[in-house]
């Protein structure tokens, strides 16, 4: 098999929940040796959502956990035991990267802050992902991804204009902006290390990472004093731009028209109905001024057809249109995702077959792979203590008896 | 911070050509602010993105587009007409000296100009070429047109935004475009690492639909494991104590965890003389808290209480006891946020042509040894034609004039 780009890179992974964990998932998929350092006492709480999803209480059965941890190893350590931290330091001494997404200062209080770690391993790259970032009044705030999105004005920019703002779908900071900003920063630091031999400390404020996604509307306020607000599905760049009802229950098709030729394509696709001809909707200005009427008439056409038919008819006429797909559509019905092998199946010893997202990119010469199912808790304690750290059997037994490996 | 070394970016010396539109433009910005030399290759009349608003002081001028500004910091600009033979020749010479090429044309467009990966890697085998498109380079929908909304829909995101049973809704911040841009930068830098180790370049085919689909594993798992179709839940709480509350001067978002945070809230309510039953142990049980009548009950008790505090008062007291209540901001409040401003997050960049400065969002991450930085303000159209074509590639001023006359630059 091809050698993957990150083979030989080891990650001591203290991340939990989603944002940090999704970052190390990608490093693992491209060959990094990721050791997730967990504790049976202070558990990654996402291991506990199995109950809700599968009705079992096993820490190994959570689909949430298993979806974001493939390709990693798991080592359990008791963080309250001094020897537990000693083992953690030994793992770090043979690692290239240390990652965590705890509250600011939590790692330092354990004696595992950046200043401590460079003493053990001078070229270490440390990725720290606090909620807010140090140096301001809110440094020690705790918050989850949903709260971070709301602070970054995402809720303000999402939903219906006449109602309170709402979440931009499933926790955007955790699944989207923060893990991949983190990987971008880590890869830049690894590149720099390759060139200079130097490691460094990456501090990713999860809040500021998300503010980079809402940066343009914020800039509009800074420059023009305008507070942009959610517009449903309408766009400042053209009309119609929206989600239109189609045949069937809860079936919709998204349509985006910007240029005149796209509008003309839309008209042809509908068979040039009388209402669409003439000046009223013939210009971008006309479409925008009469948008309520335009959307009502367009929806009369879409609602008599299936969402798939609307999409295909419009696309054949050069108009951007796409079915509002649900989880079932993605997994079973979408021929594009199938052709691209987006979902891969892996067997997990406790929950059986499960579908995983593969990545939206494949590197042509070194395609990444999800090499193994997510680890059972503590599955690799023997490997880490024995093969990696070279501890004797007696030493390991002593650690077990003292409750260090919990 | 004043010495030259500390202003070096991590990607110093990496050369990037950026031909992307809105779908990929954030990728090039990330690389540029990390210190790569990112050259934007625009058509002679300027990047179409320059016609996207909002505009500086609402003046709809191609060199005043805030949309262009926001995504093109630290980049240089040359103009090239890729549809002219001369333009293609100059482009091939640019590619010879590049490490990375980013593009977002419809699949097949560059091949049609003899500028596809096969042709370009023949002149530069170490080239990393990253193509960012709505649906990827292969598959039955590869030629479908996309937009942020349309691909959010196809990636399963739109179905999860909005009120149950009502029309799905959207986010006015092009979240899908950002998501695919950040994923593309991650992938490109993994390939750069490989190239630095081995000298080998490669092709990266990035699909925005798949990037968006990575946001919704819970909906896919709901079908995969339980044959349930997940749908939108709107702004309503799904568990008592989780969600938005209105206070005196705005909104806050509460995540009321069981244990000490809930106990602290009870003590606080007692101090304020508010009658409540949250000391009852069942409020620590999340199944109990998921029942609609309990959500309603908690909201009814707490809504008037929240209204007696300002956003800051309530957040600071709550956070001091690890009760997670956070602000819900609009764009103005983010700009004025005391925490961001204490950290010096926002950055004013001089735009001499505008007789003023523009305030930009700061770093999405801090790198201690190679700080993130806006290295220069976004470029004017073809601002670096002379610098790059003459100064760095060795064209003469006369050759440049001929190229210009031919519509190549």
């Amino acid at each position: 098999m091809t050698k993957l780009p990150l083979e030989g890179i080891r990650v001591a992974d203290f991340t939990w929940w989603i944002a940090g964990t999704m970052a190390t998932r990608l490093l693992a998929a491209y060959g990094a040796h990721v050791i997730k350092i967990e504790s049976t006492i202070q558990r990654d709480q996402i291991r506990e959502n199995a109950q809700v999803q599968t009705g079992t209480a096993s820490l190994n059965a959570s689909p949430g956990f298993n979806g974001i941890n493939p390709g990693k190893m798991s080592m359990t350590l008791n963080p309250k035991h001094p020897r537990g931290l000693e083992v953690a330091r030994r793992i770090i001494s043979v690692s290239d990267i240390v990652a965590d997404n705890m509250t600011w200062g939590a790692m330092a209080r354990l004696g595992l802050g950046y200043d401590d770690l460079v003493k053990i391993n001078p070229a270490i790259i440390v990725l720290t992902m606090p909620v807010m970032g140090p140096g301001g009044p809110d440094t020690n705030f705790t918050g989850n991804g949903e709260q971070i999105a709301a602070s970054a004005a995402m809720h303000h920019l999402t939903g219906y204009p006449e109602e309170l703002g709402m979440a931009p779908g499933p926790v955007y900071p955790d699944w989207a902006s923060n893990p991949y900003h983190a990987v971008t920063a880590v890869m830049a630091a690894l590149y720099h290390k390759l060139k200079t031999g130097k490691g460094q400390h990456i501090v990713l404020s999860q809040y500021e990472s998300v503010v980079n996604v809402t940066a343009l509307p914020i800039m509009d306020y800074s420059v023009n004093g305008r507070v942009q607000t959610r517009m449903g599905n309408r766009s400042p760049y053209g009309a119609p731009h929206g989600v239109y009802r189609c045949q069937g229950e809860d079936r919709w098709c998204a349509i985006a028209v910007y240029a005149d030729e796209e509008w003309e394509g839309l008209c042809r696709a509908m068979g040039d109905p009388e209402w669409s001809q003439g000046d009223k909707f013939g210009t971008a200005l006309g479409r925008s001024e009469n948008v309520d009427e335009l959307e009502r008439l367009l929806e009369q056409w879409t609602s008599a057809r299936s969402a798939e038919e609307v999409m295909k008819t419009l696309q054949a006429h050069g108009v951007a249109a796409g079915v509002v797909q649900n989880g079932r559509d993605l997994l079973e019905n979408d021929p594009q995702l199938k052709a691209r092998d987006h979902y891969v199946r892996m067997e997990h010893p406790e929950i059986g077959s499960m579908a995983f997202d593969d990545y939206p990119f494949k590197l042509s010469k070194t395609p990444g792979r999800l090499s193994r199912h997510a680890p059972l808790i503590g599955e690799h304690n023997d490997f880490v203590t024995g093969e990696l750290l070279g501890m004797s059997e007696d030493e390991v037994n002593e650690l077990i008896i003292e409750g260090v490996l919990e | 911070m004043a010495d030259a070394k500390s202003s070096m970016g991590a990607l110093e010396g990496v050369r990037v050509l950026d031909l992307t539109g809105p779908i990929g433009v954030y990728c090039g910005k990330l690389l540029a602010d990390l210190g790569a030399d990112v050259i934007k290759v625009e058509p002679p009349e300027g990047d179409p993105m320059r016609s996207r608003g909002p505009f500086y002081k609402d003046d709809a001028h191609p060199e005043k587009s805030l949309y262009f500004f926001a995504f093109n910091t630290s980049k240089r600009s040359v103009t090239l007409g890729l549809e002219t033979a001369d333009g293609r020749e100059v482009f091939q010479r640019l590619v010879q000296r590049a490490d990375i090429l980013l593009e977002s044309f419809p699949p097949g467009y560059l091949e049609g100009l003899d500028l596809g990966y096969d042709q370009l890697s023949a002149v530069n085998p170490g080239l990393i070429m990253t193509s960012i498109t709505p649906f990827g380079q292969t598959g039955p929908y590869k030629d479908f047109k996309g937009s942020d909304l349309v691909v959010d829909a196809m990636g399963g995101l739109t179905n999860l935004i909005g009120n149950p049973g009502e029309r799905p809704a959207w986010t006015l911040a092009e979240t899908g475009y950002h998501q695919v841009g950040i994923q593309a930068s991650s992938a490109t830098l993994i390939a750069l690492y490989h190239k630095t180790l081995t000298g080998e370049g490669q092709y990266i085919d990035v699909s925005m639909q798949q990037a968006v689909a990575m946001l919704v594993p819970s909906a896919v798992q709901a079908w995969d494991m339980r044959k349930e179709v997940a749908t939108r839940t709107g702004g309503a709480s799904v568990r008592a104590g989780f969600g938005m509350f209105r206070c005196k001067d705005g909104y806050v978002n509460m995540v009321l965890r069981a244990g000490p945070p809930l106990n602290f809230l009870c003590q606080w309510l007692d101090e304020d003389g508010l009658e409540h039953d949250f000391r009852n142990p069942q409020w620590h049980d999340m199944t109990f808290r998921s029942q609609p009548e309990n959500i309603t009950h908690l909201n009814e008790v707490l809504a008037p209480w929240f209204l007696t505090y300002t956003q800051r008062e309530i957040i600071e007291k709550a956070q001091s006891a690890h009760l997670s209540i956070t602000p819900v901001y609009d764009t103005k409040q983010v700009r004025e946020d005391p925490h961001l401003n204490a950290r010096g997050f926002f950055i004013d960049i001089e735009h001499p042509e505008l007789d003023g400065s523009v305030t930009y969002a700061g770093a999405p991450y801090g790198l201690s040894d190679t700080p993130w930085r806006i290295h220069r303000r976004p470029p004017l159209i073809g601002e670096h034609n002379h610098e790059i074509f003459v100064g760095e590639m060795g064209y003469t001023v006369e050759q440049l004039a001929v190229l210009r006359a031919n519509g190549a630059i």
Side-chain angles (χ1 to χ4, degrees):
Chain A
M1 256 193 273
T2 339
K3 191 168 182 294
L4 291 174
L6 302 182
E7 275 179 40
I9 301 287
R10 185 170 297 119
V11 183
D13 185 2
F14 293 85
T15 64
W16 62 334
W17 288 100
I18 302 169
T21 307
M22 280 299 285
T24 54
R25 181 197 201 257
L26 177 53
L27 301 177
Y30 277 85
H33 179 204
V34 178
I35 303 172
K36 191 170 171 69
I37 297 166
E38 306 189 74
S39 160
T40 56
I41 302 160
Q42 286 185 351
R43 299 189 280 237
D44 184 344
Q45 282 159 35
I46 204 160
R47 278 195 181 274
E48 296 180 356
N49 77 359
Q51 189 68 45
V52 184
Q53 298 213 38
T54 63
T56 81
S58 166
L59 292 175
N60 298 319
S62 156
F65 179 89
N66 291 332
I68 59 186
N69 287 287
K72 304 180 190 177
M73 289 191 171
S74 166
M75 165 82 197
T76 52
L77 283 179
N78 180 351
K80 303 223 159 122
H81 196 297
R83 291 189 69 183
L85 297 172
E86 179 49 39
V87 177
R89 276 190 279 270
R90 285 178 67 178
I91 297 170
I92 290 164
S93 71
V94 294
S95 295
D96 303 277
I97 298 167
V98 176
D100 85 88
N101 60 325
M102 295 182 207
T103 312
W104 181 251
M107 289 290 276
R109 282 193 294 278
L110 290 171
L112 301 175
Y114 179 70
D115 295 341
D116 306 306
L117 299 185
V118 282
K119 289 179 197 143
I120 307 172
N121 186 341
I124 196 79
I125 293 167
V126 176
L127 167 69
T128 309
M129 298 173 68
V131 171
M132 300 302 288
D138 302 347
T139 298
N140 298 317
F141 275 21
T142 61
N144 65 14
E146 165 102 23
Q147 291 174 298
I148 294 165
S151 291
M154 281 206 152
H155 289 53
H156 172 76
L157 295 165
T158 304
Y160 313 102
E162 64 283 2
E163 290 181 29
L164 195 56
M166 56 178 66
V171 205
Y172 188 86
D174 288 359
W175 294 109
S177 51
N178 298 357
Y180 303 105
H181 273 144
V183 172
T184 296
V186 164
M187 289 312 307
L190 271 175
Y191 174 81
H192 182 68
K193 185 178 167 183
L194 212 51
K195 293 278 177 181
T196 64
K198 288 185 180 168
Q200 56 183 316
H201 190 194
I202 301 164
V203 179
L204 184 151
S205 152
Q206 294 202 44
Y207 175 38
E208 289 170 3
S209 163
V210 184
V211 172
N212 266 273
V213 179
T214 50
L216 177 63
I218 293 167
M219 198 184 213
D220 194 19
Y221 172 73
S222 298
V223 173
N224 296 319
R226 182 184 296 111
V227 179
Q228 292 188 21
T229 305
R230 55 200 168 276
M231 298 165 60
N233 292 304
R234 288 183 181 165
S235 162
Y237 307 126
H241 185 280
V243 168
Y244 304 98
R245 192 179 288 280
C246 299
Q247 249 175 13
E249 201 192 321
D250 202 27
R251 299 304 286 175
W252 310 81
C253 187
I255 299 171
V257 168
Y258 305 107
D260 286 343
E261 63 263 26
E262 292 165 337
W263 166 248
E264 288 154 16
L266 176 62
C267 293
R268 277 197 306 279
M270 295 187 292
D272 286 324
E274 202 176 322
W275 65 262
S276 70
Q277 308 299 298
D279 295 343
K280 190 173 201 173
F281 303 122
T283 63
L285 187 64
R287 290 191 292 278
S288 135
E289 281 178 348
N290 300 294
V291 64
D292 289 335
E293 186 185 353
L294 170 60
E295 293 199 318
R296 189 172 49 75
L297 291 163
L298 174 59
E299 196 159 60
Q300 281 175 11
W301 183 78
T302 61
S303 58
R305 289 159 181 82
S306 76
E308 285 73 14
E309 184 192 342
V310 170
M311 169 175 78
K312 286 179 182 164
T313 308
L314 294 186
Q315 287 283 359
H317 288 84
V319 179
V323 175
V324 175
Q325 301 204 98
N326 60 36
R328 180 184 191 173
D329 295 321
L330 295 181
L331 193 58
E332 290 186 351
N333 301 335
D334 184 313
Q336 181 67 12
L337 292 174
K338 263 204 186 76
R340 306 223 0 128
D341 297 323
H342 180 74
Y343 294 105
V344 294
R345 284 202 169 272
M346 271 194 280
E347 284 294 322
H348 182 280
E350 289 201 14
I351 61 173
S353 165
M354 181 179 149
F356 293 77
D357 286 280
D358 203 343
Y359 284 94
F361 45 79
K362 284 205 174 66
L363 275 57
S364 61
K365 294 189 183 139
T366 59
R369 49 185 174 252
L370 302 172
S371 56
R372 66 183 308 284
H373 62 78
L376 311 180
I377 191 159
E379 185 180 348
H380 302 95
N381 286 7
D382 287 348
F383 174 87
V384 173
T385 52
E387 222 165 298
L388 184 65
L389 300 180
M391 291 182 187
S392 68
E393 210 171 306
D394 287 351
E395 197 180 350
V396 174
N397 286 337
E398 200 181 300
L399 292 175
I400 294 171
I401 292 163
E402 283 191 27
V404 174
L405 305 184
E406 279 175 13
Chain B
M1 299 294 278
D3 65 308
K5 197 173 150 287
S6 73
S7 66
M8 287 230 329
L11 301 181
E12 196 80 26
V14 176
R15 291 176 172 176
V16 183
L17 300 177
D18 186 352
L19 283 79
T20 60
I23 191 175
V25 68
Y26 187 58
C27 176
K29 172 184 161 63
L30 291 170
L31 303 185
D33 293 338
L34 285 166
D37 177 19
V38 179
I39 300 172
K40 217 178 154 63
V41 179
E42 305 189 54
E45 67 279 12
D47 184 342
M49 201 184 305
R50 292 180 180 275
S51 67
R52 279 196 162 207
F55 292 91
Y56 182 79
K57 299 192 174 160
D58 291 329
D59 179 6
H61 180 285
E63 288 183 335
K64 296 183 182 181
S65 159
L66 298 184
Y67 194 101
F68 184 87
F69 288 176
F71 296 108
N72 290 287
T73 52
S74 307
K75 299 180 190 176
R76 299 196 286 171
S77 162
V78 296
T79 50
L80 270 184
L82 296 180
E83 308 208 342
T84 70
D86 287 348
R88 285 198 291 277
E89 200 197 309
V90 178
F91 182 70
Q92 289 227 0
R93 286 189 54 189
L94 269 175
V95 169
Q96 280 172 19
R97 40 206 304 289
D99 300 294
I100 294 166
L101 167 62
L102 309 171
E103 66 95 11
S104 63
F105 292 110
Y109 174 79
L110 285 176
E111 281 95 333
L113 297 173
D114 289 328
L115 300 173
Y117 176 71
D118 289 344
Q119 294 107 339
L120 296 178
S121 61
V123 298
N124 178 358
L127 181 71
I128 296 162
M129 178 165 168
T130 304
S131 295
I132 307 166
T133 52
F135 298 96
Q137 303 290 316
T138 59
Y141 296 168
K142 71 180 169 62
D143 298 320
F144 274 18
K145 291 181 76 170
S147 74
D148 184 79
L149 172 67
V150 164
V151 186
D152 288 355
M154 288 291 280
L157 177 61
T158 308
N159 188 52
L160 300 175
I161 305 177
N163 293 333
E166 290 179 31
R167 191 182 302 275
W170 186 53
T171 304
L172 198 61
E174 300 193 322
T175 56
Y177 280 169
H178 283 84
Q179 161 78 336
V180 71
I182 312 171
Q183 292 225 6
S185 70
S186 301
T188 302
L189 292 180
I190 291 171
L192 178 68
Y193 192 77
H194 179 75
K195 172 191 160 97
T196 312
L197 288 172
T198 64
E200 187 175 58
Q202 53 188 321
Y203 182 68
I204 308 175
D205 164 9
V206 189
S207 152
M208 176 176 162
Q209 184 195 17
Q210 290 175 255
V212 172
M214 288 205 74
L215 269 153
V216 301
S218 56
V220 171
Q221 286 166 11
W223 182 258
D224 190 30
M225 321 218 53
R226 302 191 303 282
K227 296 292 173 272
E228 284 170 23
V229 175
T231 186
R232 46 205 172 277
T233 54
S237 303
V238 292
R239 260 177 298 177
F242 289 70
M244 285 203 244
F245 289 89
R246 187 172 185 169
C247 49
K248 244 185 211 169
D249 57 348
Y251 286 86
V252 293
N253 195 315
M254 177 160 74
V255 169
L256 180 58
R257 296 204 167 83
L262 175 55
N263 296 337
F264 176 79
L265 179 69
C266 289
Q267 186 192 324
W268 189 354
L269 298 175
D270 291 346
E271 284 165 17
D272 288 359
L274 190 83
E275 233 173 88
H276 67 89
D277 59 352
F278 304 138
R279 287 212 185 271
N280 189 325
Q282 62 198 5
W283 287 99
H284 292 275
D285 171 15
M286 290 301 158
T287 314
F288 173 82
R289 283 221 241 148
S290 303
Q291 287 160 10
E293 63 273 22
N294 298 329
I295 297 172
T296 308
H297 174 70
L298 181 136
N299 288 347
E300 279 172 4
V301 174
L302 290 187
W305 177 76
F306 271 100
L307 279 170
T308 63
Y309 286 96
T310 67
Q311 205 180 40
R312 269 282 136 191
E313 285 166 355
I314 206 156
I315 289 164
E316 285 177 5
K317 181 161 176 177
Q319 288 280 352
S320 72
H322 307 295
L323 165 56
S324 191
I325 301 181
T326 55
V328 177
Y329 285 149
D330 64 22
T331 51
K332 173 175 187 284
Q333 290 165 314
V334 175
R335 176 67 188 85
E336 293 168 356
D337 177 14
H339 184 76
L340 290 178
N341 286 291
R343 277 173 53 78
F345 175 73
F346 292 104
I347 300 167
D348 288 330
I349 300 287
E350 286 298 318
H351 282 243
E353 310 70 27
L354 302 176
D355 282 327
S357 63
V358 173
T359 305
Y360 288 82
Y365 28 63
L367 279 70
S368 62
D369 204 53
T370 54
W372 178 100
R373 196 161 72 87
I374 293 179
H375 295 259
R376 59 172 81 229
R377 63 127 177 75
L380 308 174
I381 301 168
E383 182 177 352
H384 303 95
N385 281 354
H386 190 275
E387 181 178 306
I388 291 168
F389 294 142
V390 179
E392 295 171 22
M393 295 171 72
Y395 285 96
T396 64
V397 174
E398 292 72 29
Q399 285 171 316
L400 212 59
V402 174
L403 290 169
R404 192 169 285 126
N406 293 346
I409 65 174

